[in-house]
Amino acid sequence: MKNVNIIGYSKVWLALSGLIVGLAVVSIAFFGLNFGIDFTGGSLLEIHGVESSVEDVRKAVEATGHEATVQESDTGAYFVRLSPISEEEHQAVLAAIKKISPKTEEVKFDSVGPTIGNELKKASVTALVFLLVLIGAYIAWAFRKVSYPVKSWKYGVVTMVAAFHDVIIPMGAFAVLGKVFGYQVDTAFVAAMLTILGYSINDTIVVLDRTRENLFRHRYADQTFGEIVNTSIIETLGRSLNTTLATIIPLIAIFFLGGETTRPFVLALIIGIISGAYSSIFVASPLLVAMQKLGKK
């Protein structure tokens, strides 16, 4: 492992990451994100025990005066999506379904108005951007005593770039999944993004902190900055891989064995955490070395 030269192939890692991020951005621009009722406003009724077809349920709901989209999950649950409705209308819809399928049981009902949905969307974007900027500023401050050979603010920049990398990739994946499988972006997805940010930053800081230690430890040795960063990556590689595996394995189990409603949330976490493990090794550190080389010119 000591002879592994990750920094020597920085251009390859950065080009690969640039390609994946580019595909994610194109996916979002081309397909768009399939926002759930948390952001668009509307009502969602989840019911079990339905003995009628999807088409019959849709006709029963439309007979109450509401247009509806009805989907059946792999577990047999039915999801009825409507525009925002009152509690009285909700009971009327449920009664109409029970009329054609008496054993129907309501599992969950959510209704969000369009104004609240827009406010949630703005608040979620603001929270993500604010958190990225705050973290970058904090890292720059935390590394203020390590200003040679790289200015401390550059540590903050690479941390922000790595975090953006780890958030934009799940978003791009969900743009495609939303188009193909109907996966939606809701408040649970935002919670997943914030969790990914925390994981990504923690993993990146471990590598950068070891770089800070090695810069002090090898200050009299004849090593380039790139060699010290490469040594730091190798020294923390086992920890990063073990932490990632210990996190991913339970998430994969939950994805396959958990309920239908938790699957998109878990999948977003899996994609983001794998991306975070990659970026801490192959994006943040190579980018830091590249910025150091550019600063010398």
Side-chain angles (χ1 to χ4, degrees):
M1 291 290 285
K2 291 183 178 179
N3 296 324
V4 175
N5 185 9
I6 293 174
I7 294 300
Y9 296 94
S10 291
K11 291 181 180 178
V12 176
W13 313 130
L14 293 176
L16 180 61
S17 293
L19 176 64
I20 296 172
V21 169
L23 289 174
V25 172
V26 170
S27 298
I28 295 170
F30 189 73
F31 297 117
L33 294 171
N34 182 21
F35 289 107
I37 64 168
D38 293 348
F39 296 128
T40 61
S43 301
L44 175 64
L45 176 64
E46 180 182 352
I47 48 180
H48 284 191
V50 181
E51 296 174 322
S52 301
S53 67
V54 169
E55 185 60 21
D56 287 342
V57 171
R58 187 181 62 79
K59 288 179 179 176
V61 175
E62 289 183 347
T64 65
H66 301 286
E67 289 189 5
T69 302
V70 182
Q71 293 176 309
E72 183 180 9
S73 73
D74 297 337
T75 58
Y78 277 50
F79 296 92
V80 182
R81 292 179 171 82
L82 314 104
S83 57
I85 58 175
S86 64
E87 178 56 26
E88 185 179 343
E89 291 170 322
H90 160 218
Q91 293 302 328
V93 167
L94 191 59
I97 298 172
K98 285 187 174 180
K99 189 174 180 180
I100 62 168
S101 178
K103 293 183 179 179
T104 298
E105 293 182 1
E106 179 182 284
V107 176
K108 186 174 70 173
F109 175 73
D110 292 322
S111 185
V112 179
T115 304
I116 295 175
N118 284 329
E119 289 177 357
L120 276 174
K121 193 186 296 182
K122 291 177 183 175
S124 300
V125 173
T126 302
L128 287 172
V129 173
F130 180 74
L131 188 59
L132 273 176
V133 173
L134 192 65
I135 287 167
Y138 173 74
I139 298 299
W141 178 82
F143 282 75
R144 65 192 182 282
K145 294 181 180 178
V146 191
S147 58
Y148 182 83
V150 176
K151 297 292 185 185
S152 62
W153 63 267
K154 294 182 180 178
Y155 288 90
V157 170
V158 297
T159 304
M160 289 175 64
V161 171
F164 173 77
H165 169 277
D166 301 338
V167 168
I168 199 70
I169 289 176
M171 284 186 174
F174 264 64
V176 178
L177 292 170
K179 182 69 177 178
V180 178
F181 297 111
Y183 276 29
Q184 294 188 335
V185 171
D186 52 17
T187 49
F189 182 82
V190 176
M193 293 300 99
L194 294 174
T195 305
I196 290 166
L197 277 179
Y199 178 87
S200 166
I201 291 157
N202 178 61
D203 215 34
T204 303
I205 286 179
V206 168
V207 181
L208 296 183
D209 198 46
R210 182 57 61 91
T211 299
R212 176 169 60 178
E213 291 176 5
N214 284 336
L215 279 171
F216 179 78
R217 191 177 300 156
H218 301 293
R219 62 190 184 280
Y220 301 121
D222 186 22
Q223 280 190 301
T224 66
F225 181 66
E227 290 171 339
I228 290 176
V229 172
N230 195 76
T231 300
S232 304
I233 294 172
I234 302 304
E235 289 177 353
T236 56
L237 191 59
R239 180 262 180 204
S240 294
L241 293 177
N242 289 335
T243 303
T244 302
L245 285 175
T247 309
I248 288 294
I249 291 173
L251 286 175
I252 291 175
I254 295 171
F255 178 81
F256 287 108
L257 303 177
E260 182 79 20
T261 54
T262 60
R263 193 164 290 167
F265 172 75
V266 175
L267 181 60
L269 285 178
I270 291 173
I271 297 171
I273 287 173
I274 291 174
S275 176
Y278 177 86
S279 70
S280 65
I281 299 168
F282 299 106
V283 176
S285 297
L287 189 60
L288 188 66
V289 175
M291 292 176 76
Q292 184 262 341
K293 289 179 178 176
L294 286 174
K296 290 169 65 175
K297 292 180 179 178

